[in-house]
Structures are given as structure tokens and as C-alpha cells.
Amino acid sequence: MPATPARSARSAETRRRRLVAAAFLLPALVLLGALVVHPIGYSLYRSFFDRSGDTFVGGANYGEILHDDTIRTALGNTALWVVLAPTTATALGLIFAVLTERVRWGTAFKLLVFMPMAISMLAAGIIFRLVYDHDPHRGIANAVWVGVHDTFAESSAFPKARPGRDSPLVPAAGAGAGGFTTRDPVRAGVPVLLPLVGVAPEDLPGGTRTAGAAPAEPGKVTGTVWQDFTRGGGGRTNAVDPTESGLAGIRVEAVKDGRVVDSATARADGTFTLSAKADGAVLRLPASNFREAYAGVEWLGPTLVTPAVIGAYVWMWAGFAMVLIAAGLAAVPRELLEAARVDGANEWQVFRRITVPLLAPVLAVVLVTLVINVMKIFDLVFVIAPGSVQDDANVLALQLYRTSFGTDADPGLGSAIAVLLLVLVLPVMLYNIRRLRKEGAR
């Protein structure tokens, strides 16, 4: 049957529209092929060749992934990232979104929480490299931790103090005893000298004064604990010189038959007084006087480096989760929440049984987005983790970079890692596509 003029015109119009659509899509398709399809295809092809690219090795590179300890550590850390980072960021975003909905300054709080998203991963890595610095004077994490620790267990002011040459003090006997004791028992009415060295002048406690010679007191044991060192040289060994400082606050114990019978704390000039109970006892400076200052937690050590980097990631992305969840929360029908409260439900029941189920699609979007994001995390780990523990903090994306570039590069193995990373991301992407199609079909 010959085509009618109207049908021919419609066919020509359809072809014209298809050509116009193809013309508009062509640049995007060319870019997609050049920047996505070709690199994926070439990576798959290159993964079957050796380091030089000349010899076909089949699946040897994939076998190397299973046997290389460094790559297996990267796989384990990536799994830890996928489990912890998205769930923590999503949970915090949900909490922030719900709590800030009812406060007057909620918008300002949301702005503060979302602000880290404006910072690049590189800048955030530099910030948290300083935050996690082991020195409490530089790293805020350890400054807070040490401050809390010292509130309940104050460190000694004399961790480096020790007896000097020909000192009347000797190390305390007994396994794990620590501290120092006098060589001979002391007698009432005879002042005792307890000289120490090794305390830097700037480390002396506040209020310290020049050491004073303790006067003899009948029926009591008196003495002086001081820094037996004269700046610029000079001075006498085991004698209190005019320019030497007392060790204020140091604890002195009188010990008889292994039991502490009396104790005292040195005054600002280092002098102390014990009762008649100390007569015939051995004086001990207990180990608590010389306890090393608490240095805090080694956040970037082999054990905690991965959780520490995850903490930096959560700091950045909790704001992203909060904003999306807050948008979903604004669409929740208030009538349902009020009806539940009228029926006697408390706030926790309303949150658990109504708010969270209604927000489930939004929570799924946030969680899936963050899972895809953490699968390719690279820069935070690279910047925050010191070189000595990068093997412990390693993830697949970082291992891909370390394997593919540098003086000992192996492009074949690196391509295999890239393909493995793609295979791991694909199920999450397919789930996301299916979810989006279901949402569009509603």
C-alpha cells in the first residue's frame, strides 16, 4: 500500500527529530566514550598483561590481589569504611535533622554542620593531620584527651628526676617498686638531704622557691628535697647551695618493714617534716613522683589510624546527610505525627515507628550515595595517614594509585585493582538505578 503524503510527512518529521536529538547527544556520547567507556575497556584489557604490557599473563594479576598482604589489608579497610562511614554519617545526619527541627537556631546549626562540605578533601586532610597530632600542644584531639586524663590522674612534675653522683638515694628495691630510697635509716633531730637532678628549670612547678636547709626539730625527721644543680656550674654536690631550687610538691614516705608509717609533701622550698614515727625508717620517694606525663592517644598509629580517618570523613559528610534528611523531614505529614502523639505515643515511639519509616527512601538515597563515595576514598587517607602507617590505613583507591604510579609501578596489577573496584561498585550502582526507576514509576 503506497504511503500517503501525510504519513510520509510524519516519517520525515520523526527522522528529523531523531537526527536533531542525535546531534545534541553526540558530544555527550563522545565524551562518555572517551572519558568512561574507553578507560574501563582499556583497564580491563591491560589487567591481563604484565608490568611491561608486552606479555599476556591471563588472570595472574587477579591472583596477585588475593595473595598480596598489602592489597588484602586495603580490601579489609575498604570493607570497614563501607560499613562504618556511611552508617555513622547517615545516623548523625538523621539525629541533627530531627533535633534542629524544633530549635530556634536550627538554621544556624545546620549551616555550621554543613560548612565542612565547602572544604576540599585535601584541606580537610591537612586540618585533621594537625588535629590528630600526637603532641598535645599541637593536636587538639590529644590536648582534650590529656586534659580529661589529668583531671582524674594528674601526671608528675618530675618524670626525669633521678639521683646524682654519690647521692644518698638509691633505686627502690623490689620488682616494679620504682622510686628511690635512702641508703640508710634516718634519725629524729638529724636533717636529711635528698638531692635530685634531671629537672629542667622550666619544668619546675609554679610557686617553687630557692631550696632551704631544713632545721633540726627534736623528735621529728626533717629534710630537703631539691634540684642539686647550679646553673653555670659551680656549687657543691649533695649540699644545698644558694641558687638551687626546691622540688615543691614531691611526696616523701617513711617506710619500716615494708610498711609506710608516715608521709609528707615537700613545701615550696623543698623542705618537709615527718613525725617521730619516721625515726629509724628508710625514706622513700615513691614512683608516683616520677611518673611520665601522659602523652595521650596515638591517633595516627597502626591501630587507630583507620577509625581516625573515618572520623574526618564523617565530619565532612554528616552535613550532606543532614541537609537531605531535613528536606525529606519537611515533607513528612504533620498530621500523622500529631495523631500518634494524641494516641499516647511518646517521642521515641513517634521517631522510631513513624518518622524513620517515612524517611526510609531518603535514608536509602543518602546511604547509597555515601557507600559509592567511600568506595573510592583516596585523598583523606593519603593526606592524614603518615607514611609509616599508610600500609595499615590503606584502601583500594589508594592502593590503586600506589601500584600504578611511581618508580616501582605495575600498570597491569593496578588495572586489575581498578577492575576489582569497578566490580565492587557496580552492585551498589545497579541497586541505586532500580530504586530510582521504582521511585519514577510511582
Side-chain angles (χ1 to χ4, degrees):
M1 180 177 177
T4 63
R7 182 180 297 176
S8 299
R10 284 197 299 271
S11 298
E13 179 64 19
T14 301
R15 285 195 299 273
R16 187 185 69 82
R17 289 182 176 180
R18 287 177 178 174
L19 287 174
V20 171
F24 277 104
L25 287 174
L26 185 60
L29 292 175
V30 170
L31 287 175
L32 183 68
L35 301 179
V36 178
V37 178
H38 175 265
I40 291 175
Y42 182 75
S43 296
L44 181 62
Y45 166 81
R46 186 66 178 82
S47 68
F48 294 111
F49 287 82
D50 67 351
R51 184 188 300 264
S52 65
D54 299 328
T55 305
F56 181 80
V57 294
N61 288 322
Y62 294 96
E64 179 69 17
I65 291 176
L66 299 176
H67 294 94
D68 189 284
D69 290 338
T70 303
I71 300 178
R72 285 193 296 180
T73 300
L75 273 169
N77 286 339
T78 301
L80 189 65
W81 269 87
V82 169
V83 171
L84 288 182
T87 53
T88 305
T90 304
L92 283 176
L94 176 61
I95 293 170
F96 291 154
V98 171
L99 293 182
T100 55
E101 189 186 28
R102 296 190 175 187
V103 295
R104 187 179 302 173
W105 41 268
T107 302
F109 181 81
K110 288 177 183 177
L111 178 64
L112 288 175
V113 175
F114 188 75
M115 197 175 294
M117 285 294 298
I119 303 174
S120 70
M121 286 280 195
L122 175 62
I126 295 172
I127 291 170
F128 273 86
R129 182 69 178 266
L130 294 173
V131 167
Y132 291 133
D133 196 288
H134 191 64
D135 184 356
H137 295 95
R138 297 180 60 192
I140 189 172
N142 261 344
V144 173
W145 194 267
V146 170
V148 172
H149 174 274
D150 288 351
T151 300
F152 299 98
E154 189 174 355
S155 300
S156 166
F158 315 108
K160 304 296 183 184
R162 63 189 186 280
R165 185 188 55 198
D166 301 326
S167 174
L169 292 169
V170 294
F180 307 101
T181 62
T182 55
R183 296 177 185 271
D184 305 309
V186 296
R187 294 299 174 189
V190 180
V192 184
L193 297 178
L194 303 178
L196 293 171
V197 296
V199 182
E202 59 271 16
D203 293 336
L204 290 170
T208 296
R209 299 210 310 257
T210 302
E217 296 186 27
K220 294 183 179 180
V221 174
T222 59
T224 304
V225 189
W226 83 103
Q227 166 85 328
D228 190 19
F229 175 79
T230 301
R231 274 189 167 187
R236 297 164 297 164
T237 303
N238 300 329
V240 180
D241 294 309
T243 60
E244 295 173 346
S245 300
L247 299 183
I250 201 164
R251 182 178 173 82
V252 182
E253 296 176 344
V255 181
K256 284 184 180 179
D257 300 324
R259 186 169 56 91
V260 177
V261 295
D262 198 9
S263 64
T265 300
R267 305 179 186 94
D269 61 354
T271 59
F272 62 89
T273 303
L274 296 165
S275 68
K277 296 178 183 178
D279 186 33
V282 171
L283 296 191
R284 179 175 67 189
L285 303 180
S288 59
N289 290 314
F290 313 105
R291 184 173 50 240
E292 289 284 346
Y294 181 63
V297 177
E298 195 174 357
W299 298 104
L300 299 182
T303 305
L304 293 177
V305 62
T306 295
V309 181
I310 290 176
Y313 177 89
V314 170
W315 176 77
M316 289 193 68
W317 287 86
F320 166 82
M322 178 196 64
V323 169
L324 290 189
I325 295 170
L329 192 61
V332 172
R334 301 299 161 184
E335 300 81 14
L336 293 177
L337 305 180
E338 294 303 326
R341 293 187 182 103
V342 169
D343 288 342
N346 57 37
E347 291 301 321
W348 169 246
Q349 290 172 326
V350 171
F351 173 76
R352 184 166 60 90
R353 295 182 180 273
I354 297 177
T355 304
V356 172
L358 290 175
L359 287 175
V362 179
L363 295 176
V365 170
V366 174
L367 199 60
V368 170
T369 303
L370 293 181
V371 167
I372 295 173
N373 186 267
V374 300
M375 291 287 286
K376 53 188 181 64
I377 194 71
F378 161 77
D379 26 19
L380 268 185
V381 182
F382 184 72
V383 175
I384 295 177
S388 59
V389 296
Q390 265 197 6
D391 283 346
D392 300 284
N394 205 9
V395 290
L396 278 177
L398 178 58
Q399 183 61 32
L400 167 62
Y401 167 79
R402 296 171 66 186
T403 304
S404 303
F405 303 97
T407 56
D408 194 33
D410 187 343
L413 182 57
S415 298
I417 297 173
V419 172
L420 172 63
L421 196 56
L422 175 66
V423 169
L424 293 176
V425 171
L426 276 177
V428 185
M429 294 178 62
L430 292 175
Y431 167 79
N432 208 24
I433 292 171
R434 288 184 60 189
R435 186 190 53 75
L436 290 173
R437 285 179 176 173
K438 286 182 180 179
E439 290 291 326
R442 290 180 181 177

